[in-house]
Amino acid sequence: SVTYDEGFNNTNRNIKLVGEAYFEVAKNPKLPFTVQANGTEVKVIGTKFNVCAYGTESKVVTSLLEGSVMQPGIRALASALVTSSRTT
């Protein structure tokens, strides 16, 4: 499921994800697009990426197709697979 914060695309571009979703995000340096999933956060300015974050798994897998993504302690550029463990 995907839920988004009040003010989405006006004051923020924050969503919460449980499961898996593919995103094509328009570039907006003033409003980064943030996916919160399974205790971690993926932040992007503009890119194409997939996030797999099922509540029953202890990891979040981000597949980057174009652009760049940032997760805590990780910065990935185009064509990368990023895995981070859930923080509890």
Side-chain angles (χ1 to χ4, degrees):
S1 67
V2 175
T3 57
Y4 54 91
D5 288 349
E6 186 175 325
F8 183 84
N9 218 28
N10 291 314
T11 59
N12 70 72
R13 295 196 300 170
N14 303 331
I15 67 161
K16 293 178 180 74
L17 172 68
V18 176
E20 185 169 1
Y22 171 77
F23 301 95
E24 290 187 14
V25 179
K27 189 172 187 174
N28 185 343
K30 293 182 181 180
L31 285 177
F33 186 86
T34 304
V35 179
Q36 297 174 348
N38 245 5
T40 194
E41 185 175 89
V42 180
K43 186 177 284 191
V44 305
I45 302 297
T47 190
K48 296 178 183 177
F49 67 105
N50 189 78
V51 178
C52 182
Y54 290 95
T56 57
E57 297 180 13
S58 63
K59 63 182 176 180
V60 174
V61 177
T62 304
S63 304
L64 177 62
L65 302 172
E66 182 179 295
S68 63
V69 297
M70 291 180 285
Q71 282 181 239
I74 302 168
R75 178 177 166 85
L77 300 176
S79 300
L81 180 65
V82 178
T83 304
S84 62
S85 297
R86 179 187 333 183
T87 56
T88 53

